[in-house]
């Protein structure tokens, strides 16, 4: 690998840094955006039980809020159980917006790397082409410099695309996952509102 990096020239190190950052962000998002962590399966039933028991205390609200992103949304609804339906829904929407922003953490960086990697590869290609033209002189071409220039151009193009493609796939996957989670959280919160207000109005 070191020989490949040496053949690819100094622009490859920029791509290497981008690939390390992208890999770290993908692993972090895979660990964070797990369904069981975002949408605990029995949480809505537990919140309904707390509401029906009438035992809504600040301690319970605090624990609910720190339990999961869904807990943040449901705790906002639980805080407003005595308010009109519209007020409850507004509080849910506000909490949902904050949760969505948290779930989208690092996705902009991941999308930027997916977009930037091919351009960085293209930059390396340009550097390689400059070396190729630099190999030309009045007495002929310098074969070693010519070969190095070609290596720089091809390796950087290849590495740029190799980094961009999986990063783009994960970026799109995480975006869709976050959108799905936000919709499901809002649906569960609306179900809780229906329980509080008996029926949809």
């Amino acid at each position: 690998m070191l020989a490949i990096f040496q053949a690819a020239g100094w622009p490859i190190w920029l791509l290497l840094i981008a690939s390390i950052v992208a890999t770290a962000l993908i692993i972090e998002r895979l660990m964070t955006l797990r369904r069981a962590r975002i949408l605990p399966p029995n949480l809505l039933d537990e919140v309904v039980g707390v509401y029906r028991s009438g035992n809504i205390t600040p301690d319970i609200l605090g624990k609910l809020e720190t339990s999961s992103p869904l807990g943040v949304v449901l705790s906002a609804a639980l805080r407003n159980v005595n308010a009109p339906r519209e007020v409850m829904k507004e509080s849910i929407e506000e909490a949902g917006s904050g949760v969505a922003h948290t779930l989208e953490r690092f996705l902009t960086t991941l999308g930027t790397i997916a977009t930037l990697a091919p351009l960085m590869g293209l930059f390396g290609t340009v550097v390689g082409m400059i070396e190729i033209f630099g190999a030309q002189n009045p007495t002929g071409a310098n074969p070693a410099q010519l070969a190095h220039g070609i290596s720089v151009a091809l390796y950087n193009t290849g590495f740029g695309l190799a980094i961009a493609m999986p990063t783009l796939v994960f970026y799109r996957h995480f975006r869709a996952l976050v959108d799905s989670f936000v919709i499901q959280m809002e649906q569960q919160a609306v179900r809780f509102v229906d329980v509080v207000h008996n029926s949809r109005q």
Side-chain angles (χ1 to χ4, degrees):
M1 287 297 292
L2 184 59
I4 291 175
F5 288 144
Q6 288 174 340
W10 62 266
I12 199 71
W13 295 105
L14 300 175
L15 285 166
L16 179 62
I17 293 169
S19 69
I20 292 171
V21 172
T23 302
L25 293 181
I26 289 169
I27 292 171
E28 190 276 339
R29 290 290 87 187
L30 284 172
M31 297 298 293
T32 301
L33 297 177
R34 289 175 293 165
R35 182 171 298 276
R37 183 182 177 278
I38 306 298
L39 302 167
N42 300 316
L43 188 60
L44 178 59
D45 294 334
E46 292 173 8
V47 171
V48 170
V50 169
Y51 163 70
R52 286 178 174 160
S53 71
N55 186 28
I56 304 171
T57 64
D59 185 50
I60 287 176
L61 289 172
K63 287 180 180 178
L64 179 62
E65 201 164 29
T66 57
S67 66
S68 65
L70 176 59
V72 174
V73 176
L74 291 177
S75 67
L78 202 56
R79 288 178 198 276
N80 293 277
V81 289
N82 296 319
R85 182 186 181 91
E86 292 73 20
V87 174
M88 282 190 72
K89 292 190 75 172
E90 283 178 13
S91 67
I92 288 167
E93 289 170 3
E94 289 173 4
S97 297
V99 168
H101 180 72
T102 303
L103 294 180
E104 289 172 354
R105 187 182 180 201
F106 300 134
L107 292 191
T108 301
T109 304
L110 205 58
T112 301
I113 292 173
T115 305
L116 196 59
L119 297 177
M120 294 168 71
L122 181 61
F123 172 71
T125 303
V126 171
V127 171
M129 296 297 289
I130 291 171
E131 289 197 22
I132 290 171
F133 285 112
Q136 306 296 325
N137 56 58
T139 59
N142 182 337
Q145 191 175 353
L146 184 63
H148 185 258
I150 293 171
S151 295
V152 170
L154 295 179
Y155 275 127
N156 280 278
T157 303
F159 271 91
L161 293 174
I163 293 167
M165 289 186 287
T167 304
L168 182 60
V169 169
F170 276 106
Y171 169 73
R172 297 282 188 184
H173 169 68
F174 292 142
R175 289 290 309 179
L177 202 58
V178 168
D179 290 343
S180 171
F181 286 155
V182 169
I183 289 171
Q184 290 179 62
M185 279 188 285
E186 289 178 353
Q187 288 175 341
Q188 293 201 37
V190 168
R191 283 171 57 194
F192 178 67
V193 173
D194 289 341
V195 169
V196 173
H197 292 276
N198 297 320
S199 63
R200 193 179 295 274
Q201 296 177 3

